[in-house]
Amino acid sequence: MILVTGGAGFIGSNFVLQWLAARDEPVVNLDNLTYAGNLRNLDSVRGDARHIFVRGDIDDPELVAQLLRAHRPRAVLNFAAETHVDRSILGPAEFVRTNIHGTFNLLEAARAYWGGLAGEEQRRFRFLQVSTDEVYGSLSAEEAAFRETTAYAPNSPYAASKAAADHMVRAYHHTYGLPTLTTNCSNNYGPFQFPEKLIPLVIINALAGKPIPVYGDGQNVRDWLYVDDHCSGIRRVLEAAQPGEVYNIGGNSEKNNLEVVRTLCAVLDELRPAPRPYASLIAYVKDRPGHDRRYAIDAGKIRRELGWQPAQNFAGGMRRTVSWYLANTEWSSSVTSGEYQKWMNANYQERGAA
Ligand code: NAD
Ligand code: TYD
């Protein structure tokens, strides 16, 4: 049995589905279903006795302690977080509460639970923190990619809250011996991603004939990884890494935002032709404050030590993703109704055309 937090979100739900497809070990899934959590992502395992969903907060000490006591998981994997940089700029408080205090609460509960285990059960236990490359800050075009030894230099409230959580995880290993693992991954994309993030936002706006907002000059660079590959990397770290270790996970796919948007438009032109090329919808808008220029991951350590590599390349992953959104318009409509419109107004109305 493993305990996954945030398993109704984008990466967490992909992880739960991949886990249950690969093995019989049950999953307790703790998620408080914020705007980003969606039980529809887990429709295909509804009724599966190996999946136990619990609606609740990672920042609730009694609930977390009770779940650990009741289910005796061999691992806690912490996906739960507030994850959108633009939201962290407009409202950082929830990022501090969930990402920092919530992780602290999980660590405290895990420490007490692990301390009460004995023998093999105690030796096998792991706390895996799912983190991001954004904790390392921004690179210039010439700088070498982030390594596990790169100093943390977070620039957004989101990145700072994840960095603080990672430091607590590190401290719990060094101080208390809690067998922790940390993964720092680059930008994910794929099925079930909430359309506040670049890739699903572009697909959904393009299909609706709405402007495709590109921040600033569109030259900011991210490394892109198909979500299934991130999940397989986490599984590999969980099974094979030594306690206290940190692994960077990335796709060897550095692209600037304009390249990403143009690729999506070209795939859409092919799969769902419209009277005008989708790229004609591209609209440059006001930049994000403090916008990190470039992220790049050196994933050499996980490749060398654990033999992990991504299975999807960028072109294949983008095609799969566009195809998934084309085949799942009902999912998109359900997440873009109601509250979503408020966010679109809050984030984009002020931006206007650059
Ligand atoms: P997401 O925003 O899609 O989902 C987050 C999930 O956490 C949601 O289901 C939400 O309901 C849940 N949640 C939020 N606050 C909670 C709380 N207090 N208690 C319980 N559940 C709560 O996020 P995602 O993109 O799937 O990211 C998952 C993890 O991976 C995060 O920790 C994120 O920092 C990390 N990460 C994401 C990316 C990426 O590109 N999306 C890249 C690297 C790392
Ligand atoms: P995003 O998906 O928000 O991920 P992150 O900021 O965590 O990397 O954004 C990816 C890149 O796309 C980032 O450089 C910001 C840019 N972007 C746009 O140009 N327009 C948009 O509407 C959004 C949401 C992002």
Side-chain angles (χ1 to χ4, degrees):
M1 161 82 71
I2 60 167
L3 172 63
V4 163
T5 73
F10 163 49
I11 303 172
S13 62
N14 276 285
F15 182 87
V16 168
L17 297 180
Q18 189 185 94
W19 181 272
L20 293 174
R23 51 198 302 159
D24 279 332
E25 190 175 3
V27 179
V28 178
N29 182 351
L30 173 63
D31 193 303
N32 71 347
L33 300 180
T34 67
Y35 76 92
N38 186 352
L39 284 178
R40 289 178 71 132
N41 301 1
L42 297 158
D43 270 353
S44 63
V45 291
R46 187 171 294 185
D48 187 327
R50 298 170 304 157
H51 178 238
I52 301 161
F53 182 79
V54 179
R55 184 171 190 178
D57 204 302
I58 60 164
D59 203 18
D60 177 341
E62 285 78 34
L63 174 64
V64 175
Q66 182 250 315
L67 288 176
L68 293 174
R69 262 198 318 273
H71 296 287
R72 302 183 69 78
R74 71 168 170 104
V76 173
L77 288 84
N78 184 28
F79 293 83
E82 290 292 332
T83 60
H84 190 35
V85 173
D86 294 316
R87 285 188 195 255
S88 82
I89 294 168
L90 293 179
E94 198 55 16
F95 288 71
V96 172
R97 191 190 76 78
T98 284
N99 299 2
I100 304 178
H101 206 272
T103 303
F104 161 69
N105 183 55
L106 284 178
L107 285 165
E108 272 295 271
R111 177 164 79 94
Y113 164 70
W114 168 76
L117 297 176
E120 186 60 9
E121 246 194 323
Q122 187 179 59
R123 201 190 57 73
R124 280 182 69 206
F125 181 77
R126 298 287 184 270
F127 183 104
L128 191 150
Q129 169 73 354
V130 179
S131 191
T132 165
D133 61 357
E134 305 199 19
V135 297
Y136 297 121
S138 186
L139 294 168
S140 66
E142 301 77 32
E143 275 175 295
F146 302 131
R147 303 179 68 171
E148 290 78 359
T149 48
T150 303
Y152 274 30
N155 290 321
S156 71
Y158 163 63
S161 66
K162 292 294 291 185
D166 294 1
H167 287 322
M168 288 304 283
V169 171
R170 178 190 159 90
Y172 270 60
H173 176 68
H174 277 261
T175 306
Y176 305 114
L178 187 72
T180 63
L181 300 165
T182 302
T183 55
N184 294 90
C185 188
S186 58
N187 284 56
N188 284 214
Y189 64 99
F192 303 119
Q193 187 167 30
F194 192 77
E196 64 189 355
K197 306 280 166 61
L198 180 69
I199 287 181
L201 183 97
V202 169
I203 298 170
I204 284 169
N205 276 23
L207 289 173
K210 291 184 180 163
I212 297 172
V214 172
Y215 295 170
D217 62 3
Q219 297 303 307
N220 301 69
V221 172
R222 300 289 182 262
D223 173 71
W224 293 96
L225 181 68
Y226 191 66
V227 63
D228 273 353
D229 284 325
H230 184 192
C231 296
S232 75
I234 290 170
R235 287 172 52 211
R236 187 72 196 126
V237 169
L238 179 66
E239 297 318 326
Q242 290 302 312
E245 285 294 332
V246 175
Y247 287 93
N248 283 352
I249 303 180
N252 301 318
S253 281
E254 274 188 62
K255 307 280 172 207
N256 70 47
N257 292 338
L258 215 48
E259 290 177 271
V260 172
V261 170
R262 291 222 165 100
T263 303
L264 288 167
C265 289
V267 177
L268 280 166
D269 285 336
E270 190 191 328
L271 299 182
R272 184 63 55 88
R276 284 162 41 132
Y278 288 100
S280 63
L281 295 168
I282 292 174
Y284 292 92
V285 300
K286 200 165 133 200
D287 208 352
R288 171 186 283 172
H291 196 175
D292 283 340
R293 194 62 173 167
R294 172 173 167 247
Y295 303 143
I297 281 271
D298 179 341
K301 182 179 172 188
I302 189 170
R303 188 185 62 243
R304 281 191 309 275
E305 295 185 5
L306 305 181
W308 174 89
Q309 286 203 78
Q312 282 298 324
N313 63 20
F314 182 74
M318 294 289 270
R319 234 187 144 70
R320 273 171 184 251
T321 303
V322 172
S323 303
W324 187 87
Y325 280 90
L326 286 173
N328 290 276
T329 48
E330 218 195 298
W331 182 92
S332 308
S333 320
S334 73
V335 300
T336 53
S337 57
E339 283 298 307
Y340 181 73
Q341 217 39 59
K342 283 193 200 154
W343 165 251
M344 294 303 279
N345 293 339
N347 193 44
Y348 293 97
Q349 219 159 46
E350 291 298 299
R351 282 202 145 88

